[in-house]
Amino acid sequence: MARRGRFIALEGGEGSGKSTQAARLAGALGAVLTREPGGTRTGEHIRALILDPDLPAIGERSETLLLLAARAQHVSEVIRPALVAGRDVVCDRFSGSTLAYQGYGRGLDTAELARMSAWASGGLEPDRVILLRVPPAEAGRRRRSRGAIDRFEGEPEAFFLRVSAGFDALAAADPDRWSVVDGSGSVDEVGERVAAAVSR
Ligand code: TMP
């Protein structure tokens, strides 16, 4: 099926402000706003399971398969139909998060993860990826100042440093698709940078 809308993903660590910016961008573009893990009823159940800090440890392979199950459902139920109908889609996290968190963060093989994610999404990848970058020390402060602790937020600092370095490596490896946006400053300032990156 031919795609007519644009598929834009926002990526970044916890505390990067990407959910706020995703909502803002989607509003400005009149795009469908959605998120991962989640975006469908099934996916939101999977999200609750993956983030539940009270569950016994979920292994990195189980975690990956759950995330990809949510992605497969999300693409077929929400994202692809919207694109085919000519709508733009703004997604808060997508495959970049799998490579950064399960690959660089958890240590799984990134080439294998890329293949698995492509299988789950039926080959659909974002046209543009905006990486909201805040210095790791600032992101740590923002993370700690937020109350709720989910299973990822409870990870040690070293995990977030690996994830952050992973995002930087992914953006550097694919500069035509990825844009790195400075996430420091006010919501409006960052929003203008995001809008400029998207129209680039
Ligand atoms: P959020 O905090 O941005 O809503 O995302 C929930 C968590 O899910 C976040 O800690 C990162 C994690 N995640 C992965 O580990 N891999 C993925 O592929 C996705 C989409 C999210």
Side-chain angles (χ1 to χ4, degrees):
M1 264 188 292
R3 293 165 47 191
R4 293 192 299 262
R6 273 186 308 167
F7 180 22
I8 300 164
L10 264 86
E11 296 283 7
E14 284 78 0
S16 63
K18 90 195 138 36
S19 303
T20 306
Q21 293 299 335
R24 196 186 150 111
L25 177 65
L29 296 176
V32 173
L33 172 65
T34 188
R35 70 172 180 181
E36 289 218 348
T40 64
R41 268 191 76 188
T42 309
E44 292 292 332
H45 277 287
I46 296 174
R47 176 188 179 90
L49 189 86
I50 292 172
L51 298 184
D52 186 350
D54 296 329
L55 282 181
I58 301 178
E60 62 268 19
R61 286 171 189 268
S62 314
E63 179 180 88
T64 302
L65 291 170
L66 288 166
L67 286 158
L68 296 183
R71 179 160 308 148
Q73 190 63 28
H74 191 203
V75 168
S76 65
E77 193 179 316
V78 174
I79 302 177
R80 205 183 284 277
L83 295 172
V84 167
R87 300 285 307 276
D88 290 334
V89 174
V90 173
C91 193
D92 183 349
R93 297 195 186 282
F94 198 71
S95 49
S97 282
T98 312
L99 300 178
Y101 284 81
Q102 281 63 52
Y104 290 87
R106 304 271 192 233
L108 294 176
D109 184 80
T110 50
E112 203 165 38
L113 287 171
R115 281 196 301 276
M116 290 170 70
S117 176
W119 183 82
S121 73
L124 183 74
E125 287 293 339
D127 303 302
R128 300 297 317 241
V129 185
I130 307 296
L131 173 60
L132 272 190
R133 195 176 193 292
V134 285
E138 170 64 20
R141 267 193 299 280
R142 291 190 194 178
R143 227 175 18 247
R144 283 186 294 275
S145 75
R146 298 207 305 208
I149 293 283
D150 67 31
R151 216 167 45 78
F152 283 94
E153 288 163 339
E155 289 290 337
E157 203 57 36
F159 175 79
F160 294 105
L161 291 175
R162 289 197 299 278
V163 169
S164 170
F167 274 130
D168 289 346
L170 292 167
D174 191 1
D176 289 341
R177 200 141 57 100
W178 285 63
S179 296
V180 182
V181 167
D182 177 4
S184 54
S186 70
V187 170
D188 283 348
E189 284 164 350
V190 179
E192 278 168 28
R193 288 181 213 131
V194 170
V198 167
S199 61
R200 174 163 74 80

